[in-house]
Amino acid sequence: MRGTKRIAMWLRAFASRRNMESELDEEMRFHIDMEAAKHSRRGLSDDEARRRASLAFGSVEQHKEAMREGRGVRGIERAAFDLRFGFRQLRKTPGFTTAAVLTLALGIGGNVAVFSVINGVLLRPLAFPEPDRLVTIAHRTRGGDLPVTLPNATATDVVYQASHSFDAMALYTGWQVSLTGGDASPDWVDVTAVTRSIFDVLKVRPALGRPFTADEDRPRGPRAVILSHALWRQRFGGDPAIIGRTITVDGTTHEIVGVMPAGFVFPTPAVSVWVPMRVDRNDLGGFNTPGIARLRPGVTPEQATRELTQLLPGVTKLTDFITEKTIRDARLTADVHPYLDDVVGRVRPVLWTLWAMVGLVLLIACVNVASLLLVRAEARRREVALRVALGAERGHLLAQSLAESAMLLVMGTGLGVLLAWGAVSALPRLAPDLLPRLTDIRIDAIVLVCTTFVAAIVAFARDENPSRFVT
């Protein structure tokens, strides 16, 4: 707190330095006048009294300099002078300046761009409440394929209901459909069929309308559909009276019962329509329907996996075509893992490897710029030696060197951030299907903090001191 007050005092003093100079002159005159008045009372003439007062007081400029130092103004003025001097030195050598700035910009810009992708894809939480509790329910067989099929979604809908690891569980599956309705022409869109519990799992409700009802999620129940916010705006112009109207999905009329909030994505950004799954437990299907669940507080995916694996033999009570021996022979086990792992897919190791590569590029950039600075310092050996001989302090020379390096770093970092921003902005157009969570990739405060950290590392990695060339 004391340091903050001192810095504020320095800044105020620097901002009002003209008034301060007038005050210093007035204070110096006051002290000299008081000393001269003492000599005048002893019978000396006014000129002699002022002469002796000036001799006794000493150098006015030295006193003023000491007072400037005490108020912190001198240090700020010197820093401003060092920055102006550094800028003039860089302007005298445009080739060196351009090469150094571009080298730093490429190294820092690459790191900023790749970290923006890593932050958006891997580190940023999913846009759901308490996303760390969202998990995928899958299954693995290590001994071979199951010789029979199981009722579609039986395990999640029936057997796993006895689990104590989850607050809610749901199923989903997707495909493409032909969509007709609204003012736009028929089009192919991505649709996802979900069980009605999906809204409890994700803890998201439609912005307009309502979720699916239990009747709509049963076989031969009413046909209902929920639209994405983007599709609602595109085909229906954002009409708030859309609820209750109908739309044709693959030739079948569905009632529009809801519109999801803007920015809602599940399971992929391409999905713009959701319909009830209408699970039929008597319909024999595969054991591969994706399941998603919300863990209870304090439960880990590993604990949930062990519990579901113990519950799997309960499937044998629902069908005569599978036995516990079949499960043991196939070595069927549950697999509960973070839902984020499914969202990012296999890009996680690729992105970390890419960041390591651009980190190596940054290291090479630091070495190159350090080499340029060493050559520049060698060329200025005679200049620095002459300034030292004329009385320049080594500390001041170091400060000027640091100011010059800081200006190079600031220009390189600024240009690097601009390059990274251009690259990140172009990603959705250049690679729309290459990366998941493209809408979450952006340069934000976290990325800028990382940029500052990288810039600080660069400053330490390639700093140089021309005064060391003075013998």
Side-chain angles (χ1 to χ4, degrees), residues 42-121:
R42 295 173 184 170
L44 297 178
S45 63
D46 291 342
D47 293 339
E48 182 63 19
R50 180 162 291 277
R51 187 183 72 82
R52 292 195 179 187
S54 298
L55 291 174
F57 189 77
S59 173
V60 173
E61 289 301 321
Q62 285 184 353
H63 285 292
K64 291 170 67 175
E65 189 72 14
M67 297 184 71
R68 292 191 193 99
E69 291 283 356
R71 299 187 183 186
V73 177
R74 183 57 180 165
I76 297 177
E77 287 181 342
R78 179 174 292 179
F81 171 79
D82 290 341
L83 290 175
R84 289 194 300 269
F85 179 79
F87 179 75
R88 287 196 301 268
Q89 292 294 109
L90 294 176
R91 191 172 57 181
K92 288 180 181 179
T93 54
F96 161 79
T97 303
T98 302
V101 169
L102 288 179
T103 302
L104 289 174
L106 291 175
I108 294 176
N111 273 267
V112 173
V114 173
F115 180 74
S116 299
V117 175
I118 289 176
N119 183 54
V121 176

Side-chain angles (χ1 to χ4, degrees), residues 236-250:
F236 299 96
D239 183 5
I242 190 65
I243 305 301
R245 293 170 60 180
T246 60
I247 193 171
T248 303
V249 179
D250 270 351

Side-chain angles (χ1 to χ4, degrees), residues 456-467:
I457 293 177
V458 172
F460 282 109
R462 56 134 192 83
D463 185 37
E464 52 85 23
N465 176 12
S467 65

Side-chain angles (χ1 to χ4, degrees), residues 328-377:
R328 288 196 303 270
D329 291 344
R331 286 195 282 177
L332 177 68
T333 59
D335 176 23
V336 180
H337 55 268
Y339 174 64
L340 180 62
D341 291 349
D342 290 343
V343 174
V344 301
R346 300 179 178 179
V347 302
R348 189 190 303 271
V350 175
L351 290 179
W352 288 119
T353 302
L354 181 60
W355 199 22
M357 293 175 62
V358 296
L360 181 61
V361 171
L362 178 61
L363 179 61
I364 295 173
C366 292
V367 172
N368 290 337
V369 174
S371 299
L372 290 174
L373 290 171
L374 287 173
V375 173
R376 178 179 171 83

Side-chain angles (χ1 to χ4, degrees), residues 309-329:
T309 300
Q310 293 172 358
L311 292 174
L312 265 177
V315 174
T316 61
K317 301 176 182 178
L318 305 174
T319 176
D320 296 331
F321 300 104
I322 190 168
T323 64
E324 291 191 19
K325 182 178 183 303
T326 305
I327 294 178
R328 288 196 303 270
D329 291 344

Side-chain angles (χ1 to χ4, degrees), residues 355-413:
W355 199 22
M357 293 175 62
V358 296
L360 181 61
V361 171
L362 178 61
L363 179 61
I364 295 173
C366 292
V367 172
N368 290 337
V369 174
S371 299
L372 290 174
L373 290 171
L374 287 173
V375 173
R376 178 179 171 83
E378 179 67 28
R380 296 176 60 185
R381 177 195 291 267
R382 295 181 62 185
E383 172 198 339
V384 174
L386 180 60
R387 293 177 63 187
V388 171
L390 293 175
E393 297 178 358
R394 291 178 182 268
H396 191 200
L397 291 176
L398 176 60
Q400 288 185 343
S401 172
L402 291 176
E404 192 174 322
S405 298
M407 295 190 70
L408 281 176
L409 185 58
V410 168
M411 290 188 289
T413 302

